[in-house]
Amino acid sequence: MKLPIKVVLIVSLLFTASFSQEKVYKLKLATTWGPTLSPLIDSAKNMAAMAKKMSNGRLIIKIDASNKHKAPLGILDMVKGGHYDMGHSASYYWKGKDIATLPFTSMPFGLTAPEQYAWFYYGGGLELMQKVYSKHKVLSFPGGSTGVQMGGWFKKEIKTLDDLKGLKMRIPGFAGEIMANLGVQVTNIAPGELYTALERNNLDALEWVGPSMDINMGFHKIASFYYTGWHEPASEMQFIVNKKTFNKLPADLQEILRVSMRLAAYDMYAQNYDMNATAWDKIKADFPDIKVKTFPKEIMDAMKKANKELRTSLSAKSFELKEVLDSQDAYIKKARAWSQMSDFLYIKDNIQ
Ligand code: CA
């Protein structure tokens, strides 16, 4: 029997559709973090678990932590080169290769986490990020925020600018350059050696993240002044996807991947908020002598001045960086009045 051509076409289309429904896509993701570094590694794990469930097992993402691939700061290169399909890291790690990637993590005195998410998803931030990353042949997405990071643990109280002169402190990146401008002796020490360095006075101060991650490092046992944040108000982690890999995925899996990354990012922010609250509750109960301090105005003003000068000199070298910074500045100008009259005043008038 000869089937009409129309029927043959429909049957073959159905076959192709059901075949592509069954095809399993396996991607490999490399993280900057070790296998147990919560909450950072959890963001990548949650994303992969959601993608697997939502796709009914058609999208499988295998995660290699840094102990596996041994290149924690080489994620962009590995994803760009196709050695990995995806990465989970932080955009400011690539500032040496491409300075315009710096602001997508966090900028000193920049956006808070809610402001930054609003900027990414509704204020043009995500589009700017794709533009910056297009030359690296990868797509980049928010990967989870630590929220505001603390200014660090200090062994002595900092009252004047003179107290900072010659102070040995671990504070990396752009913020480190600002501190160096104020006379701080900025020292780079591997994370595993920080506790001993602080204990043996090879360091007078250091910044890490916030209570959620600081508690496991034990700094609160040897330094009793905990300064509030200014330098990383909303550090956003980052998912990177090789563009070719992404384009090869069927449209529904692309959407599942996009949604999984977005939800995992929000979830890390919530998870870390809870971890911070829990850790601080314990630290302040176990170590009641720890004093939370904010840098005096004289120091804050000097930091702001150094920050402005550094940004101006870097922006002069990169129009792309200037475009991102200008976009963030314009967003702060618009959003900060609302942040102030909503959460800030509500909390100020309702301190427990
Ligand atoms: Ca930090």
Side-chain angles (χ1 to χ4, degrees):
M1 187 186 75
K2 212 175 169 200
L3 288 166
I5 186 89
K6 243 185 176 174
V7 175
V8 172
L9 264 177
I10 289 169
V11 169
S12 74
L13 270 175
L14 279 174
F15 178 76
T16 315
S18 76
F19 180 75
S20 75
Q21 289 289 313
E22 294 306 316
K23 183 168 175 184
V24 174
Y25 289 82
K26 288 186 178 168
L27 308 187
K28 271 173 62 186
L29 180 150
T31 69
T32 289
W33 337 111
T36 57
L37 194 66
S38 285
L40 310 183
I41 190 81
D42 301 330
S43 176
K45 287 181 181 170
N46 285 341
M47 185 278 301
M50 281 190 275
K52 186 181 174 186
K53 273 188 192 167
M54 287 197 277
S55 66
N56 201 20
R58 290 165 51 228
L59 182 56
I60 305 292
I61 300 160
K62 183 180 169 283
I63 293 166
D64 280 356
S66 59
N67 59 327
K68 180 88 191 261
H69 56 70
K70 313 262 190 249
L73 299 179
I75 308 291
L76 177 60
D77 282 341
M78 292 195 291
V79 177
K80 191 175 172 175
H83 307 294
Y84 276 90
D85 304 297
M86 296 181 69
H88 190 252
S89 190
S91 192
Y92 62 6
Y93 290 138
W94 330 126
K95 79 177 174 73
K97 291 179 196 302
D98 182 348
I99 189 70
T101 62
L102 175 66
F104 297 113
T105 309
S106 192
M107 288 301 289
F109 305 108
L111 297 151
T112 65
E115 290 168 350
Q116 191 158 283
Y117 275 131
W119 174 72
F120 267 125
Y121 294 124
Y122 296 96
L126 193 58
E127 290 79 5
L128 270 176
M129 183 150 77
Q130 302 312 349
K131 195 171 149 190
V132 166
Y133 276 93
S134 64
K135 61 176 145 342
H136 302 292
K137 300 179 173 50
V138 299
L139 298 168
S140 174
F141 302 90
S145 180
T146 64
V148 65
Q149 295 202 5
M150 289 296 284
W153 296 94
F154 289 69
K155 292 181 113 172
K156 287 190 188 130
E157 187 174 356
I158 304 299
K159 290 179 181 160
T160 66
L161 272 171
D162 275 348
D163 293 335
L164 287 178
K165 305 261 185 296
L167 191 93
K168 295 186 290 272
M169 181 173 188
R170 180 266 178 194
I171 175 164
F174 195 75
E177 289 179 44
I178 293 173
M179 279 303 213
N181 252 288
L182 270 56
V184 170
Q185 194 186 316
V186 176
T187 316
N188 201 3
I189 292 178
E193 290 156 31
L194 286 173
Y195 182 88
T196 316
L198 193 64
E199 194 182 35
R200 294 185 185 165
N201 292 324
N202 292 328
L203 276 181
D204 304 308
L206 55 80
E207 78 81 45
W208 189 239
V209 182
S212 66
M213 295 180 72
D214 294 5
I215 194 168
N216 294 330
M217 303 292 272
F219 305 135
H220 55 285
K221 295 171 192 163
I222 30 177
S224 53
F225 296 93
Y226 201 19
Y227 276 81
T228 56
W230 58 277
H231 63 307
E232 294 192 60
S235 287
E236 183 68 40
M237 303 304 114
Q238 172 196 35
F239 283 114
I240 322 174
V241 189
N242 180 289
K243 218 180 235 176
K244 267 192 195 158
T245 307
F246 189 83
N247 290 339
K248 276 185 204 157
L249 293 176
D252 64 332
L253 293 189
Q254 286 181 346
E255 193 56 19
I256 284 172
L257 186 57
R258 227 193 309 258
V259 170
S260 304
M261 290 188 290
R262 185 158 169 169
L263 192 53
Y266 282 141
D267 196 66
M268 192 194 108
Y269 178 51
Q271 180 193 5
N272 191 54
Y273 210 98
D274 173 63
M275 285 174 70
N276 272 330
T278 307
W280 179 244
D281 199 44
K282 181 165 169 47
I283 293 174
K284 78 174 179 344
D286 293 351
F287 295 84
D289 291 339
I290 287 172
K291 289 176 186 67
V292 176
K293 292 277 174 187
T294 294
F295 289 111
K297 188 172 181 304
E298 177 196 24
I299 292 176
M300 284 291 206
D301 287 347
M303 285 169 172
K304 284 178 189 166
K305 187 169 169 278
N307 180 48
K308 209 172 166 189
E309 286 164 5
L310 267 169
R311 284 171 52 131
T312 307
S313 77
L314 289 174
S315 294
K317 291 177 203 151
S318 164
F319 176 75
E320 222 178 5
L321 173 70
K322 187 179 179 310
E323 195 184 4
V324 183
L325 291 177
D326 285 351
S327 170
Q328 289 189 335
D329 286 352
Y331 204 80
I332 292 181
K333 218 171 170 193
K334 181 170 79 173
R336 189 55 55 86
W338 170 242
S339 303
Q340 200 165 333
M341 69 196 268
S342 55
D343 285 358
F344 177 74
L345 285 181
Y346 169 76
I347 290 171
K348 186 171 159 282
D349 293 337
N350 290 284
I351 290 175
Q352 297 287 313

